[in-house]
Amino acid sequence: MLTGDLADGGLPAEYARLHALLSPLPMAVYPMPGNHDDRDALRAVFKDHPAVAATGTVPQAPLQYAVDVAGTRLVCCDTTVDGHPHGHLDEDRLRWLDETLAAAPDTPTVVATHHPPFPIGIRFIDDMRFVEPAGFAAVVERHPQIVRVISGHVHRGSVGSIGGKVSTTCPSTYRQLFLDLTHPGRAAVTGEPAGFAIHLVDEHGSATTHFVPTGNYRPLMEVE
């Protein structure tokens, strides 16, 4: 699951490069837009992706969809706002989310957004927050099959909650945001290693999240 900001400037060449890098992967890939992305450029390059293609051809229409992944449902929401860095879900998108979730009430579900629906505590990122998340929280709370809400945007792994559900952000595959909880704080990225998150969902709908750094480390050491 690629939780947005798949390009820096939203340029077709950037998405073409991304598509080429992802193509050798053995697993399915599920892209969604962030505030750095251009929906139409992303949609055009990933037109071979059935779920992306099914989002239509209307210019700048929300790029959101639901897919089944090994017994778990993945619902990808488009929180981007044209021309702005913050996130929001209007009534139409909330209605889509509510109806999409209602269509499979018994399937463990992961809901993905780009903007996290909880405060991070870092001024730089909270200035670009998910605005007015109460409507989203109400929808999430109505659907008990949701086992996790996952987001990007933050360039750090973090854990919060929304609508009674655990909500996480993913480490960046590029640079991590400097953890400065003071105000106004520094807007900076660090040399911490890139990373990703693994979400394990079992047959009972129990979910566990692991944050995994990438890079070269000391050799494995067996422990008792």
Side-chain angles (χ1 to χ4, degrees):
M1 179 69 240
L2 308 178
T3 47
D5 283 355
L6 310 187
D8 187 39
L11 302 175
E14 293 177 307
Y15 297 113
R17 174 63 173 154
L18 174 66
H19 191 282
L21 290 170
L22 295 173
S23 292
L25 294 178
M27 73 287 289
V29 173
Y30 302 103
M32 57 184 286
N35 52 283
H36 278 264
D37 291 306
D38 180 275
R39 297 187 192 101
D40 290 348
L42 192 162
R43 206 179 335 245
V45 172
F46 283 86
K47 59 182 180 293
D48 58 338
H49 190 298
V52 173
T55 64
T57 58
V58 177
Q60 294 303 329
L63 202 165
Q64 51 194 19
Y65 55 87
V67 291
D68 292 323
V69 183
T72 297
R73 200 154 185 247
L74 177 63
V75 178
C76 305
C77 303
D78 185 344
T79 60
T80 61
V81 179
D82 294 342
H84 298 279
H86 69 270
H88 180 61
L89 288 180
D90 58 21
E91 290 186 7
D92 287 343
R93 294 189 216 182
L94 288 174
R95 187 179 306 109
W96 174 87
L97 174 60
D98 200 22
E99 293 172 352
T100 299
L101 292 168
D106 299 320
T107 304
T109 299
V110 174
V111 175
T113 68
H114 176 64
H115 300 82
F118 60 94
I120 300 301
I122 301 173
R123 188 274 311 167
F124 171 59
I125 205 71
D126 284 340
D127 284 350
M128 301 182 288
R129 66 189 180 279
F130 189 135
V131 175
E132 299 175 349
F136 178 73
V139 172
V140 168
E141 192 168 16
R142 280 199 294 273
H143 296 278
Q145 77 271 25
I146 297 173
V147 298
R148 190 69 88 243
V149 176
I150 65 174
S151 305
H153 194 52
V154 177
H155 287 241
R156 291 200 74 84
S158 64
V159 181
S161 64
I162 186 74
K165 307 298 193 300
V166 174
S167 183
T168 66
T169 65
C170 185
S172 173
T173 55
Y174 172 51
R175 298 285 294 273
Q176 309 311 310
L177 192 66
F178 179 55
L179 183 60
D180 188 344
L181 304 178
T182 64
H183 190 82
R186 295 173 61 189
V189 293
T190 75
E192 296 172 72
F196 57 95
I198 295 178
H199 306 281
L200 301 177
V201 182
D202 68 18
E203 65 272 19
H204 306 293
S206 176
T208 302
T209 297
H210 297 269
F211 300 117
V212 185
T214 61
N216 296 318
Y217 299 96
R218 293 179 180 178
L220 220 58
M221 182 179 67
E222 302 292 343
V223 295
E224 293 293 334

